[in-house]
Amino acid sequence: MSFIEIKPDSDFSLHNIPFGIISTSENATLNSFMSLGKPVWSATRLTIQKLLSASEATLRDNQELRQRAFAPASSVKMHIPAEIGDYTDFYASKEHATNVGIMFRGKENALMPNWTHLPVGYHGRASSVVVSGTELHRPKGQRTVVKGEAPQFGNSLRMDCELEMAFLVGTGNKLGQSISIEKAKDHIFGVVLMNDWSARDIQAWEYVPLGPFLGKNFGTTVSAWVVTMDALEPFAVDGPVQTPQPLPYLAEKSASAFDINLEIQLKPAESSKYSVISRSNLKYMYWSFTQQLAHHTVNGCNMRTGDLCGSGTISGPTEDSFGSLLELSWNGTKELQLEDGITRKFLHDNDEMILTGWCEKDGVRVGFGECHGKILPAHQ
Amino acid sequence: MSFIEIKPDSDFSLHNIPFGIISTSENATLNSFMSLGKPVWSATRLTIQKLLSASEATLRDNQELRQRAFAPASSVKMHIPAEIGDYTDFYASKEHATNVGIMFRGKENALMPNWTHLPVGYHGRASSVVVSGTELHRPKGQRTVVKGEAPQFGNSLRMDCELEMAFLVGTGNKLGQSISIEKAKDHIFGVVLMNDWSARDIQAWEYVPLGPFLGKNFGTTVSAWVVTMDALEPFAVDGPVQTPQPLPYLAEKSASAFDINLEIQLKPAESSKYSVISRSNLKYMYWSFTQQLAHHTVNGCNMRTGDLCGSGTISGPTEDSFGSLLELSWNGTKELQLEDGITRKFLHDNDEMILTGWCEKDGVRVGFGECHGKILPAHQ
């Protein structure tokens, strides 16, 4: 219990204590704090929890200190929480990889032979990672309109979202060394929501053989508050059974998935109402965050404080839990039904989207706030 | 002519005036200078050329100033020239893409349909870009030993180099905007040599469908001196004929390739002698640096000062001009003959490699120094 009023459905309960950057300075980041390491993060969290608790007088009864410690949420501007050195995106949901594989390569070749052996990942663009609330322009580029014919140049016609979560590296490793799966958890500072906006027509044309590039790097949105691993620990659950058994460097010794409810809401340009278009959960993710980090560094690749690692789209097993419009509209073959009879296959100009995520158990709620974005018309 | 002695075969002639970081501070970078823009870069270069010229007394006749302005090359340590925000690698040599395509996918599917329409590129890892002279450990990872069987874990058995050049972005663009091909040249600060070390067995297993990851991100070496576009301008030549004609946003209006001689030298661990194993030239590159930059930003992706864009392996048309051991040994099917009867297919522990590059025309030489690296045994 806290002496400050926290609504029961608040994401930011006393059990959460998320970290974020609210100053108006563009240069403020959490990097220096994050680099101090897990013992400092945990001690800071405990101190804040204590200071906010109903039984602790220090802050509760000191009006001047409260003035300095609190700021009304409505008066502050949120910033990107960390300076991101490198951004990696994984492809860790089996349901998502299977869905996309079926659409792009057919049922027989849906999952590549490597997929069940390692967390497939690729490097993304760090410069265009933006904080929740940032408006992005629809990208232009080369896209195939008719398969087998020459590409055309123009605005993307298949603008999509991807429902992801991502972890921020707190403490890294030296080039040439690795982070073992046993130690991986202590290197992760916390987790954010992430929308990995995707221009499917640009991506489909460009991605062979070296992976997605311009179809992704025009913008990636993260939520502003970093929820720490300490706050998520009570919601740890066993992840999906892994077959074949992972190689020893990827073998988890304890529950490493997290039961985090996820939702996608879409507000079409011509309406003021958001519709929930998907309900998923992070527990569906096949390869855990700790497996991702152990894999990423097993070759000696160095991680730095502030590096961002995305989960890849988190799709669940049912059609209403898919994490992208590509899957929800099944490659544009069916319309999504929104409020007021409005429909969508992909995003129109000025459509807005909100991702949310939260854990709930035994009356405790820990959430992520929201990850909001709006697609503006293409820049001329 | 300069008043300081510059040997005729020096890379760093009065026509060059490269920029680099020689301080011993790890934090020194060229970024703030680079962000000032082309007029400042050019003016600085002209001022240095004037100060070094034989007819200019300012520095020539001022012993105290010379003490402060010069440092013996042997007394300084070179650093990475810029803080690299994002690192992108292209795949811009048709000969290389064709060679690799034949080996991995057969003659019929060597070049993907998109290859002649756009400069294929992908995001690399910025944290592991290191300066010439840095020793790197052989990476460990999952690799297929027998095709179709489960992967094995171990040290890479197919360690390779890639002969590349890379440009450093001087001034960038805002998210949502683009850099046109006409203006691209003025956004490029200069060029370095680059060795994109590659673990072919790790890469081959992991790269579908999202591209290279751990097979590359254990280390990328760049040369320490940045040679500016002003210095390279006299060596501009027409690039390869492009068929089909590129879309308007990629259409060059003037000579945009550069006649830069490139060499790979290999010193096997058991010898003290370097052997030249390849002689190539940047003019073979199909997609120019300016086409790469225009393409990279056409979707609104933002470039920042210090971003690094690699050319991809520069292979020439003949077998002795291929830019990787993969191609030189034709996928490990033939041995490279080195000095003293030593042979190699891929790199052994403690092998060393030097890339060099230089332009020569009408008695003027502009070069890049060297890009040196050594492969240490894998970290235990």
Side-chain angles (χ1 to χ4, degrees):
Chain A
M1 273 290 291
S2 173
F3 65 90
I4 54 171
E5 189 203 0
I6 302 174
K7 292 193 182 142
D9 66 345
S10 169
D11 281 358
F12 305 131
S13 66
L14 200 60
H15 305 275
N16 192 343
I17 315 296
F19 289 88
I21 292 295
I22 65 163
S23 90
T24 53
S25 158
E26 290 292 338
N27 291 321
T29 65
L30 282 168
N31 292 55
S32 53
F33 173 63
M34 288 161 67
S35 72
L36 297 175
K38 175 92 172 176
V40 175
W41 314 333
S42 297
T44 305
R45 170 186 154 80
L46 288 174
T47 302
I48 297 173
Q49 278 180 326
K50 185 162 180 257
L51 285 170
L52 293 179
S53 68
S55 57
E56 174 71 25
T58 315
L59 195 55
R60 186 192 63 200
D61 300 342
N62 185 330
Q63 197 54 37
E64 196 201 321
L65 203 54
R66 287 176 64 154
Q67 284 275 338
R68 287 164 58 198
F70 296 129
S74 59
S75 77
V76 301
K77 180 171 157 37
M78 296 297 298
H79 294 268
I80 192 127
E83 185 188 343
I84 297 162
D86 278 288
Y87 154 45
T88 294
D89 202 17
F90 285 92
Y91 192 53
S93 153
K94 194 171 186 176
E95 288 80 1
H96 171 69
T98 304
N99 287 340
V100 173
I102 290 170
M103 281 185 256
F104 283 5
R105 290 177 295 272
K107 252 190 174 155
E108 300 303 307
N109 298 304
L111 274 194
M112 291 292 173
N114 57 16
W115 201 93
T116 53
H117 294 274
L118 52 79
V120 171
Y122 66 105
H123 297 117
R125 179 89 191 167
S127 71
S128 51
V129 179
V130 296
V131 74
S132 175
T134 307
E135 300 181 332
L136 293 168
H137 289 275
R138 178 180 297 269
K140 292 175 281 194
Q142 291 191 30
R143 48 192 168 72
T144 319
V145 177
V146 182
K147 217 173 170 171
E149 288 188 10
Q152 293 181 9
F153 183 84
N155 300 340
S156 170
L157 303 174
R158 290 162 71 95
M159 262 300 297
D160 199 356
C161 65
E162 288 197 340
L163 171 64
E164 303 198 16
M165 303 204 81
F167 67 85
L168 281 161
V169 173
T171 49
N173 60 303
K174 284 196 181 143
L175 188 61
Q177 301 188 348
S178 307
I179 297 175
S180 69
I181 191 139
E182 292 81 10
K183 294 194 177 152
K185 203 169 56 177
D186 292 347
H187 286 263
I188 299 177
F189 177 70
V191 177
V192 292
L193 295 163
M194 189 169 97
N195 190 339
D196 182 26
W197 305 95
S198 300
R200 298 300 181 189
D201 40 2
I202 295 174
Q203 183 187 351
W205 168 240
E206 75 178 355
Y207 92 103
V208 277
L210 301 182
F213 187 51
L214 300 192
K216 299 273 194 178
N217 65 16
F218 59 90
T220 307
T221 308
V222 294
S223 54
W225 291 102
V226 188
V227 177
T228 63
M229 300 316 283
D230 282 343
L232 295 175
E233 199 52 52
F235 308 97
V237 292
D238 285 325
V241 174
Q242 298 186 313
T243 314
Q245 204 179 317
L247 282 161
Y249 81 95
L250 289 172
E252 293 280 10
K253 311 288 186 295
S254 57
S256 57
F258 294 96
D259 183 0
I260 305 178
N261 301 291
L262 298 169
E263 262 185 24
I264 311 177
Q265 297 176 51
L266 171 58
K267 189 186 83 55
E270 61 269 43
S271 166
S272 59
K273 289 186 202 153
Y274 276 93
S275 301
V276 174
I277 59 169
S278 177
R279 289 187 174 88
S280 185
N281 193 303
L282 187 70
K283 71 183 176 195
Y284 299 133
M285 183 165 71
Y286 187 90
W287 294 104
S288 67
F289 285 145
T290 34
Q291 286 177 320
Q292 291 168 25
L293 184 54
H295 181 66
H296 203 321
T297 60
V298 74
N299 70 337
C301 178
N302 57 326
M303 306 298 292
R304 296 177 296 190
T305 297
D307 286 345
L308 182 74
C309 293
S311 60
T313 308
I314 303 300
S315 291
T318 55
E319 284 184 24
D320 57 356
S321 64
F322 293 167
S324 64
L325 295 175
L326 179 72
E327 295 163 89
L328 291 164
S329 76
W330 204 254
N331 205 12
T333 59
K334 47 184 197 186
E335 299 273 7
L336 267 77
Q337 302 298 324
L338 310 177
E339 301 267 351
D340 296 333
I342 297 168
T343 62
R344 281 291 184 275
K345 290 177 176 174
F346 292 97
L347 295 172
H348 294 191
D349 286 349
N350 300 308
D351 281 359
E352 295 179 52
M353 199 156 246
I354 288 176
L355 311 182
T356 55
W358 69 95
C359 316
E360 253 173 339
K361 190 179 159 189
D362 304 332
V364 170
R365 181 184 160 105
V366 166
F368 289 79
E370 62 178 42
C371 180
H372 169 264
K374 180 176 179 177
I375 296 300
L376 298 178
H379 222 285
Q380 290 317 310
Chain B
M1 274 288 291
S2 173
F3 65 91
I4 54 171
E5 190 202 359
I6 302 173
K7 291 193 184 141
D9 65 344
S10 169
D11 280 0
F12 304 131
S13 66
L14 201 60
H15 304 276
N16 191 343
I17 315 295
F19 290 88
I21 292 295
I22 65 162
S23 89
T24 53
S25 158
E26 290 291 339
N27 291 320
T29 66
L30 283 167
N31 292 56
S32 53
F33 173 63
M34 288 161 66
S35 72
L36 298 174
K38 175 90 172 177
V40 175
W41 314 333
S42 298
T44 305
R45 170 186 154 78
L46 287 173
T47 302
I48 296 172
Q49 279 181 325
K50 184 163 180 257
L51 286 169
L52 294 178
S53 68
S55 57
E56 174 72 25
T58 315
L59 194 55
R60 186 192 65 199
D61 300 343
N62 185 331
Q63 198 53 37
E64 197 202 319
L65 204 54
R66 286 176 65 154
Q67 284 276 340
R68 288 164 57 198
F70 297 129
S74 60
S75 77
V76 301
K77 180 172 156 38
M78 297 297 299
H79 295 267
I80 192 124
E83 186 188 344
I84 297 162
D86 279 289
Y87 153 46
T88 295
D89 202 18
F90 285 92
Y91 191 54
S93 153
K94 193 170 187 177
E95 288 79 3
H96 171 69
T98 304
N99 287 339
V100 172
I102 290 171
M103 281 184 257
F104 284 5
R105 290 177 295 272
K107 253 192 171 153
E108 300 303 306
N109 298 306
L111 275 193
M112 291 291 174
N114 58 15
W115 201 94
T116 54
H117 293 275
L118 52 78
V120 170
Y122 67 105
H123 297 117
R125 179 89 192 166
S127 71
S128 51
V129 178
V130 297
V131 72
S132 175
T134 307
E135 299 180 334
L136 293 168
H137 290 275
R138 178 182 297 270
K140 291 175 281 194
Q142 291 191 31
R143 47 192 168 72
T144 320
V145 177
V146 182
K147 216 174 170 170
E149 289 188 9
Q152 294 181 9
F153 182 84
N155 300 339
S156 170
L157 303 174
R158 290 161 72 94
M159 263 299 298
D160 198 357
C161 65
E162 288 198 340
L163 170 65
E164 302 199 15
M165 302 203 83
F167 68 85
L168 282 161
V169 173
T171 49
N173 60 303
K174 284 194 181 146
L175 188 61
Q177 300 188 347
S178 308
I179 297 174
S180 70
I181 191 142
E182 292 80 9
K183 293 194 177 150
K185 202 169 56 176
D186 292 347
H187 286 263
I188 299 178
F189 177 70
V191 177
V192 292
L193 295 162
M194 190 170 98
N195 191 339
D196 181 26
W197 306 95
S198 300
R200 297 301 180 190
D201 40 3
I202 295 174
Q203 182 187 351
W205 169 239
E206 74 177 354
Y207 92 104
V208 277
L210 300 183
F213 187 50
L214 301 192
K216 300 273 194 179
N217 66 15
F218 58 90
T220 307
T221 308
V222 294
S223 53
W225 291 102
V226 188
V227 178
T228 63
M229 300 317 281
D230 281 343
L232 295 175
E233 198 53 52
F235 307 97
V237 293
D238 286 324
V241 175
Q242 297 186 313
T243 313
Q245 205 178 316
L247 282 161
Y249 83 94
L250 290 172
E252 294 280 11
K253 310 289 186 293
S254 57
S256 57
F258 293 96
D259 183 0
I260 305 178
N261 302 291
L262 298 169
E263 262 185 23
I264 311 178
Q265 297 176 53
L266 171 58
K267 189 187 84 56
E270 61 269 44
S271 165
S272 60
K273 288 185 201 152
Y274 276 93
S275 300
V276 174
I277 60 169
S278 178
R279 290 187 173 87
S280 185
N281 192 302
L282 187 70
K283 72 183 176 193
Y284 298 133
M285 183 165 71
Y286 187 89
W287 295 103
S288 68
F289 286 143
T290 35
Q291 287 177 320
Q292 291 167 25
L293 185 54
H295 181 66
H296 203 321
T297 60
V298 74
N299 70 337
C301 178
N302 57 325
M303 307 297 294
R304 296 178 295 191
T305 297
D307 286 346
L308 181 75
C309 293
S311 59
T313 308
I314 302 301
S315 292
T318 56
E319 284 184 23
D320 57 356
S321 64
F322 292 167
S324 65
L325 295 175
L326 179 73
E327 294 163 270
L328 290 164
S329 75
W330 205 253
N331 205 11
T333 60
K334 47 184 197 186
E335 299 273 8
L336 267 76
Q337 302 297 325
L338 311 177
E339 300 268 350
D340 296 333
I342 298 168
T343 61
R344 282 291 184 276
K345 290 176 176 174
F346 291 98
L347 295 172
H348 294 192
D349 286 349
N350 300 309
D351 282 359
E352 296 180 52
M353 200 158 243
I354 288 176
L355 310 182
T356 55
W358 70 95
C359 315
E360 252 172 340
K361 191 178 156 189
D362 304 332
V364 170
R365 183 184 158 104
V366 166
F368 289 78
E370 63 178 42
C371 180
H372 169 265
K374 181 177 180 177
I375 297 300
L376 299 178
H379 222 287
Q380 289 319 313

